[in-house]
Amino acid sequence: MRRRILTAKEQDEIFNLNYSEEELARDFIIESADLIKVNRINKDYNKVGYLLQKYILKSRGFTVSAFDCGIPKNLIEYVSRQVGVHRSEERRVGK
């Protein structure tokens, strides 16, 4: 029998990727060193994907690829705007 360390409610709280506007501003302002780094990446959707992985790991302590959870659209848009990625490329993030 498999033991559970966290309750379902605790898991939802930890792995929840729905960020408020305040959390977005606090946790997802892209640093200038990261902007320089992602400018070397060719595909726009890869730039956004890299930054999302890094900043979600930094704020939540896990990567989205480790769990079956989607990335909220407002989070993708928030990061995309900061690196100048066109809306049409946002759809390709995480595909």
Side-chain angles (χ1 to χ4, degrees), residues 36-44 46-47 50:
I36 292 168
K37 192 178 292 184
V38 298
N39 280 331
R40 293 182 285 199
I41 298 173
N42 290 333
K43 305 284 186 193
D44 284 344
N46 286 336
K47 292 177 185 181
Y50 168 83

Side-chain angles (χ1 to χ4, degrees), residues 3-4 17 20 28 42 59 61-62 75 83 88 91 93-94:
R3 295 175 55 183
R4 295 193 104 177
L17 293 179
S20 68
F28 288 91
N42 290 333
S59 72
F62 66 89
L75 180 52
V83 292
S88 63
R91 292 189 317 258
V93 174

Side-chain angles (χ1 to χ4, degrees), residues 23-75:
E23 290 173 310
L24 287 174
R26 181 190 67 220
D27 297 335
F28 288 91
I29 297 294
I30 308 303
E31 298 170 6
S32 58
D34 289 328
L35 289 173
I36 292 168
K37 192 178 292 184
V38 298
N39 280 331
R40 293 182 285 199
I41 298 173
N42 290 333
K43 305 284 186 193
D44 284 344
Y45 58 89
N46 286 336
K47 292 177 185 181
V48 175
Y50 168 83
L51 291 168
L52 286 168
Q53 287 283 354
K54 179 176 181 174
Y55 283 83
I56 290 171
L57 176 61
K58 188 175 167 183
S59 72
R60 291 292 201 249
F62 66 89
T63 62
V64 291
S65 61
F67 300 93
D68 189 24
C69 55
I71 301 172
K73 187 176 179 179
N74 71 323
L75 180 52

Side-chain angles (χ1 to χ4, degrees), residues 8 14 18 22 34 38 61 69 74 76 80:
I14 292 170
N18 293 314
E22 181 181 294
D34 289 328
V38 298
C69 55
N74 71 323
I76 295 171
S80 295

